Amino acid sequence: VLSPQLTIDDPTIQERFITEGRTAARLDHPNVVKILDAGKVNNYSYIAMEYCDSVVLDKALEVKKALEPIQVIKIAIELSKVLHYSLENFSLIHRDIKPGNILLTKTSKVKLMDFGLAKIMNEPDKHQTISGKLYGTLYYMSPEQIIVSNSIDFRADMYSFGATLYHLLTGNRPFE
């Protein structure tokens, strides 16, 4: 549930939140956290999703510092499958690939979540603002996403994918 307090400073947050739910609900892939419903009731926006008994990879990095190479290879394979699926079937780019958006379930299945910044290629970007706000996580963003985010393509996700794998393997972000 999105707190109504969050929309006071930025009313577009509610729209992005519901868009995330509707965008992710279109994706039917074993490596995506399944969205069951999204909507608004009174002043509350919500996203109902599958329960995943899992750990978020950024939390795993806090404990372990770096993951074992074989585990990172498995994560890379599964994550690449979902990125390929979303691009091939929906021309969708995630735009926020990072350890904090990747779950590792108790059965070692990788699940990608948080499609709040997802964009269909060659469509106008509804969430790029003129106010100077930048959406995403700088540590993992490609340079072109920072400079001209409305015209990026799948290569921005590939950059973030690589930066994420680097962080998982080394315990350090590529750039601070």
Side-chain angles (χ1 to χ4, degrees), residues 4-107:
Q5 289 297 109
L6 292 174
T7 63
I8 291 172
D9 291 336
D10 187 354
T12 65
I13 288 175
Q14 188 174 48
E15 179 188 345
R16 285 197 316 271
F17 184 79
I18 292 172
T19 298
E20 171 187 351
R22 292 185 178 145
T23 300
R26 294 172 44 201
L27 302 174
D28 185 19
H29 191 277
N31 298 109
V32 173
V33 175
K34 184 145 182 69
I35 301 298
L36 307 171
D37 192 17
K40 182 178 171 186
V41 175
N42 299 324
N43 290 332
Y44 294 95
S45 299
Y46 67 90
I47 296 175
M49 61 186 77
E50 77 173 300
Y51 172 75
C52 297
D53 191 6
S54 58
V55 64
V56 182
L57 288 183
D58 64 347
K59 300 299 178 199
L61 287 173
E62 288 176 11
V63 174
K64 287 185 157 183
K65 182 80 173 142
L67 303 181
E68 293 298 320
I70 194 71
Q71 188 178 25
V72 176
I73 290 169
K74 182 177 177 5
I75 291 167
I77 291 168
E78 290 194 38
L79 190 56
S80 65
K81 287 177 184 177
V82 70
L83 293 175
H84 179 261
Y85 165 82
S86 61
L87 183 63
E88 283 292 309
N89 292 285
F90 301 99
S91 296
L92 189 70
I93 50 178
H94 188 279
R95 297 195 307 174
D96 201 19
I97 306 295
K98 62 182 180 180
N101 285 336
I102 303 168
L103 302 176
L104 188 60
T105 69
K106 298 287 185 196
T107 60

